[in-house]
């Protein structure tokens, strides 16, 4: 009889333990699978060299795309130019 109670107690202790482990494994597996399926590699290619947010403008000197917020701006006869660096701005000024 004592042996049966011991087994019963062990069973009551082990079953929830196994269930919680299986639950954790299932959760880990689903989050892993979700991560893999939600962002398929190469499905949504980003434009080249995007620093962060804002509208992208092309540097007329080197052709790099720079965000409007981070670019160096220069307004010339109503036209706004966006540069990736002071160097490109200088080069463009020298050309113009
Ligand atoms: Zn540049």
């Amino acid at each position: 009889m004592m042996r049966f109670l011991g087994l019963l107690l062990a069973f009551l202790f082990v079953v929830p333990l196994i269930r919680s482990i299986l639950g954790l494994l299932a959760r880990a597996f689903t989050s892993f699978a979700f991560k893999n399926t939600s962002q398929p590699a190469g499905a949504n290619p980003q434009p080249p060299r995007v620093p962060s947010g804002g509208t992208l403008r092309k540097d007329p000197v080197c052709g790099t795309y720079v965000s409007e917020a981070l670019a160096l701006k220069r307004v010339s006869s109503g036209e706004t130019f966006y540069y990736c660096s002071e160097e490109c701005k200088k080069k463009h000024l020298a050309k113009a």
Side-chain angles (χ1 to χ4, degrees), residues 59 61-64 83-85 88-89:
D59 183 323
V61 181
C62 66
T64 300
Y83 308 98
C84 71
S85 64
C88 283
K89 190 179 175 181

Side-chain angles (χ1 to χ4, degrees), residues 7-29:
L7 274 171
L8 190 73
L9 280 172
F11 184 75
L12 286 172
F13 176 75
V14 166
V15 166
L17 193 75
I18 289 169
R19 279 183 67 133
S20 66
I21 289 167
L22 284 175
L24 277 172
L25 283 173
R27 225 177 298 161
F29 178 77

Side-chain angles (χ1 to χ4, degrees), residues 42-62:
N44 187 19
Q46 295 291 307
R49 297 187 69 179
V50 185
S52 67
T55 313
L56 287 179
R57 300 287 178 180
K58 197 176 181 180
D59 183 323
V61 181
C62 66

